[in-house]
C-alpha cells in the first residue's frame, strides 16, 4: 500500500505542517543564506530555550540533523533541515524510505545545489525524461505547491508535489 503520510487527504494540513517547518528554518537562519550555522543555532536556542544550549549540544544537534543525509558538515543546509523534520513525522519505515527516495530525486533536480528547484531546473528534469513542457506549464506546477511564494520549489514543497502526484495516481483522496 501507499505510505501512511501519503494518505493525507487534507492537503491543507500537509501544507500547514510544511509552512511551520519553513517558518522555523527562517527563524533560525537569521542571515538568510539558506544554511544554519553553529552560531545561528546557538542563538536560536538562547532565544527560545531557557538556558540555551552549549557548543557541544549545538554540534550534537547539527550532526544528528545532517546524519539523516550522511553529511558531515558543521552547518545545516535548508534541505537537510527539512528532511530531518519530515523524517521526525514519518510513521513507518516505508514513509522513511519514501522520504529518502524523494530527497535523492529532489537533489537531482536541484542542479545548482541551492536548496531550490527553479523553473529552468524543472524544465531540464522534464526534458531528461523526454517530456517537453513550456515554461508557463512549469510555472503553473510550481504555483500549485509554492507555499512561500518565492517562485521555486524547496524540499518541503517537493513533498507536497509528490504527495499530490501519488494521490492522483492511486485515485485516493480525489474529491
Amino acid at each position: 500500500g501507499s505510505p501512511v503520510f501519503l494518505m493525507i487527504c487534507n492537503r491543507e494540513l500537509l501544507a500547514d505542517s510544511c509552512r511551520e517547518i519553513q517558518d522555523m528554518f527562517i527563524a533560525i537562519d537569521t542571515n538568510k543564506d539558506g544554511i544554519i550555522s553553529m552560531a545561528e543555532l546557538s542563538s536560536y536556542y538562547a532565544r527560545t530555550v531557557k538556558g540555551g544550549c552549549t557548543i557541544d549540544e549545538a554540534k550534537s544537534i547539527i550532526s544528528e540533523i545532517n546524519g539523516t543525509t550522511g553529511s558531515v558538515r558543521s552547518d545545516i543546509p535548508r534541505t537537510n533541515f527539512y528532511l530531518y523534520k519530515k523524517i521526525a513525522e514519518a510513521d513507518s519505515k516505508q514513509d522513511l524510505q519514501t522520504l529518502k527516495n524523494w530527497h535523492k530525486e529532489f537533489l537531482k533536480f536541484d542542479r545548482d545545489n541551492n536548496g531550490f528547484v527553479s523553473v529552468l531546473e524543472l524544465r531540464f528534469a522534464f526534458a531528461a525524461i523526454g517530456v517537453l513542457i513550456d515554461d508557463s506549464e512549469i510555472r503553473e506546477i510550481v504555483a500549485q505547491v509554492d507555499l512561500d511564494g518565492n517562485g521555486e520549489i524547496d524540499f518541503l514543497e517537493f513533498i507536497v508535489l509528490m504527495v499530490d502526484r501519488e494521490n492522483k495516481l492511486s485515485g485516493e483522496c480525489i474529491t
Side-chain angles (χ1 to χ4, degrees):
S2 292
V4 176
F5 74 88
L6 287 183
M7 305 320 279
I8 299 175
C9 295
N10 184 343
R11 187 179 187 277
E12 220 28 64
L13 203 65
L14 174 63
D16 287 347
S17 133
C18 291
R19 275 190 211 96
E20 282 175 26
I21 296 170
Q22 287 174 325
D23 291 345
M24 184 179 192
F25 185 87
I26 290 166
I28 302 171
D29 180 28
T30 52
N31 71 356
K32 309 297 175 226
D33 66 353
I35 296 169
I36 296 172
S37 68
M38 181 89 61
E40 287 170 322
L41 187 66
S42 298
S43 168
Y44 175 77
Y45 273 92
R47 292 190 315 267
T48 61
V49 178
K50 189 174 180 183
C53 74
T54 66
I55 291 296
D56 284 343
E57 288 168 331
K59 282 181 185 169
S60 173
I61 291 165
I62 288 171
S63 74
E64 181 181 333
I65 291 172
N66 284 332
T68 58
T69 63
S71 169
V72 292
R73 296 177 62 129
S74 60
D75 53 22
I76 308 164
R78 175 190 334 270
T79 305
N80 289 14
F81 182 80
Y82 288 171
L83 176 63
Y84 176 79
K85 296 300 281 181
K86 291 312 281 183
I87 282 175
E89 296 175 4
D91 292 326
S92 68
K93 283 188 174 148
Q94 192 179 9
D95 285 357
L96 190 66
Q97 195 52 55
T98 300
L99 280 169
K100 287 184 174 184
N101 291 343
W102 287 351
H103 183 252
K104 283 182 195 145
E105 269 186 69
F106 178 82
L107 294 177
K108 281 188 225 160
F109 292 160
D110 181 17
R111 294 165 66 110
D112 63 5
N113 205 22
N114 71 346
F116 297 100
V117 176
S118 66
V119 168
L120 182 63
E121 288 168 324
L122 265 180
R123 189 183 330 122
F124 281 128
F126 280 116
I129 58 169
V131 176
L132 296 176
I133 184 170
D134 68 43
D135 283 0
S136 67
E137 289 175 287
I138 294 172
R139 276 193 290 277
E140 197 175 305
I141 292 167
V142 170
Q144 289 170 4
V145 296
D146 187 12
L147 302 174
D148 59 12
N150 68 352
E152 298 183 303
I153 298 175
D154 66 29
F155 181 59
L156 293 171
E157 295 162 339
F158 187 75
I159 290 172
V160 173
L161 180 68
M162 298 305 278
V163 168
D164 283 353
R165 188 189 80 174
E166 292 288 330
N167 286 340
K168 271 191 195 110
L169 291 175
S170 70
E172 303 283 341
C173 307
I174 301 301
T175 51

